[in-house]
Amino acid sequence: LYEGDGAAKAAAAIKEKIGAAKIGVIRAEVRKDSMKITIQAPDNPKNMDEYTYEKGRPADRSQSRR
């Protein structure tokens, strides 16, 4: 994801999977072949959701509570 617009495409794919117009990003980690983003859960801002993009597509989210 370091070359060209790979990271931007990964972020756009994750945003599309989330389906929210506005996303509160807490942390983003970009690696050579994957991206992990931790956001405020759109349906409950007290919770955090983590999304991973790898192998050319976003994976299911994992959820944590605060």
Side-chain angles (χ1 to χ4, degrees), residues 23-62:
I23 300 170
V25 176
I26 296 167
R27 185 174 84 166
E29 180 180 315
V30 180
R31 295 186 177 205
K32 182 179 177 182
D33 57 357
S34 66
M35 175 183 279
K36 187 183 296 185
I37 297 179
T38 304
I39 65 164
Q40 279 185 307
D43 56 346
N44 186 351
K46 292 182 181 180
N47 291 343
M48 294 185 295
D49 290 343
E50 186 174 273
Y51 290 85
T52 303
Y53 179 92
E54 56 190 350
K55 299 179 183 174
R57 60 183 167 79
D60 290 336
R61 74 177 181 181
S62 62

Side-chain angles (χ1 to χ4, degrees), residues 10-20 23 58:
I14 291 172
K15 184 176 180 185
E16 183 177 326
K17 182 168 183 80
I18 295 167
I23 300 170

